[in-house]
Amino acid sequence: MTDSRLPAEGEIEVEAPEEAAQLVEDLAEDPRRAGGRMLIALDIDGTVVLEDESPSPGIVEAVADAERAGHRVMLATGRSWEATHRIHDVLEIAPDYAVCSNGAVIMKRVDGPESGAHRYERVHVETFDASEVLTLLREHLPDAHYLVELPDGRREYTAFMDDWNLDLADKVAFEELARQPVTRVVVVSPEHAEQDFIELVERVGLNQVSYAVGWTAWLDIAPKGVDKGSALQLVQQWLDIDPAHVLVMGDGRNDLGMFAWAREHGGRAIAMGQGPQEVRDAAGEVTASVTEGGVAAVLRGL
């Protein structure tokens, strides 16, 4: 390099080796200064895994590449923790936090990074009195299947459903479901269509709770003001990550809250290609479907 191409005197500042090493360490730990390193929150069903719970094409390798690049990958799901932690194993991740039960439960990893079998504890739990909403819904859906999740993760249900994971679950009479505060209520009515549930919600009004209607006749009810977005805001604050460095991905109506929160704070929200139109409209971006490896495509582009 000739002298004519060197910076003019005073244009550069030389740091001592110790100070330079500390600067590199600070950049690695602070996503706001790390040149695009992100907190990536992924829905599970229809986003990370297929209907048979096999992983979306390419996602395991793409998640590994994203973590090697310094991004933090976590799950934000409607599932209970008992049905969530096994997906950590599928993706080969052990994030600091997991958002479960549509934001009503946040799990925190409490073991060290060197631990083989990672241990998590409930660090934040939201509950509500479900007696009124259960009574209201049963008047209109007397033959539906009902399930509640308790603060400690146990669940109680009125009738068996093939697609329900019923680990740590007990069958009880309907009247027992509301005897204590719960983190969520799930209502499934197989003989009804998705649009039937949407119309029912509009007709009866559920003003004291948060809710999301699934693709099938599935209604998920959480404490008022609680959704994946409210939970991710807490995680973002605990990790001291700029919300503009948050990326969320999902495919269902229960993802609308985290889409809105991410976009409002300058982050990215991406819907899966097979999601309902209102979900795709709510996201800032749309990727390929879960069967086509939509998440992997996004992660490879980071």
Side-chain angles (χ1 to χ4, degrees):
M1 180 182 292
T2 65
D3 289 345
S4 63
R5 296 176 60 190
L6 290 173
E9 185 176 348
E11 288 186 5
I12 61 173
E13 181 178 348
V14 179
E15 298 282 0
E18 297 81 3
E19 294 174 343
Q22 184 61 52
L23 177 60
V24 171
E25 184 176 339
D26 291 344
L27 285 171
E29 294 180 352
D30 187 351
R32 294 169 298 179
R33 303 170 57 193
R37 294 182 181 178
M38 307 187 78
L39 174 64
I40 301 169
L42 304 175
D43 170 52
I44 294 180
D45 298 284
T47 301
V48 166
V49 299
L50 309 179
E51 286 188 15
D52 62 0
E53 295 220 342
S54 62
S56 176
I59 191 170
V60 175
E61 297 80 7
V63 165
D65 289 343
E67 291 203 317
R68 278 193 293 269
H71 304 298
R72 297 188 182 206
V73 180
M74 63 173 289
L75 299 175
T77 177
R79 292 188 180 199
S80 66
W81 169 242
E82 285 65 33
T84 298
H85 65 78
R86 66 191 66 180
I87 307 302
H88 283 175
D89 297 335
V90 171
L91 297 181
E92 301 176 9
I93 60 174
D96 293 317
Y97 296 96
V99 170
C100 303
S101 306
N102 283 325
V105 175
I106 304 177
M107 304 297 297
K108 179 181 180 181
R109 200 184 78 196
V110 294
D111 58 7
E114 70 285 347
S115 173
H118 298 290
R119 188 165 62 89
Y120 286 78
E121 291 182 355
R122 285 167 170 77
V123 68
H124 184 83
V125 179
E126 299 272 5
T127 64
F128 70 108
D129 180 350
S131 55
E132 182 178 349
V133 69
L134 281 168
T135 300
L136 178 64
L137 288 171
R138 197 185 194 195
E139 291 176 358
H140 295 84
L141 299 169
D143 298 322
H145 300 244
Y146 294 85
L147 177 147
V148 298
E149 183 176 327
L150 305 179
D152 62 0
R154 292 181 298 114
R155 284 163 294 157
E156 297 178 338
Y157 64 97
T158 59
F160 178 77
M161 288 287 292
D162 288 336
D163 57 350
W164 280 1
N165 178 303
L166 295 176
D167 294 341
L168 297 178
D170 296 309
K171 185 176 180 180
V172 300
F174 177 86
E175 291 72 21
E176 295 184 53
L177 295 177
R179 69 181 185 275
Q180 60 182 304
V182 302
T183 60
R184 69 192 292 220
V185 173
V186 177
V187 185
V188 178
S189 185
E191 65 270 25
H192 288 87
E194 172 192 4
Q195 189 59 36
D196 295 332
F197 259 36
I198 294 174
E199 293 173 357
L200 173 64
V201 167
E202 293 175 349
R203 186 168 69 253
V204 304
L206 294 175
N207 299 321
Q208 301 305 313
V209 293
S210 297
Y211 61 86
V213 178
W215 283 21
T216 58
W218 175 294
L219 182 63
D220 214 311
I221 302 169
K224 187 174 178 62
V226 173
D227 58 30
K228 294 182 184 182
S230 64
L232 285 172
Q233 183 171 15
L234 292 175
V235 172
Q236 164 258 315
Q237 292 170 350
W238 294 337
L239 293 176
D240 194 24
I241 292 177
D242 188 330
H245 285 223
V246 173
L247 166 63
V248 299
M249 299 182 66
D251 73 312
R253 294 183 181 89
N254 63 336
D255 296 312
L256 296 178
M258 72 174 180
F259 284 1
W261 171 75
R263 298 188 67 186
E264 180 182 349
H265 293 85
R268 296 175 63 187
I270 303 178
M272 305 301 294
Q274 82 282 354
Q277 187 63 49
E278 67 178 282
V279 174
R280 286 180 280 141
D281 290 343
E285 307 169 55
V286 178
T287 186
S289 71
V290 62
T291 59
E292 297 169 325
V295 172
V298 172
L299 296 183
R300 286 194 297 266
L302 295 178

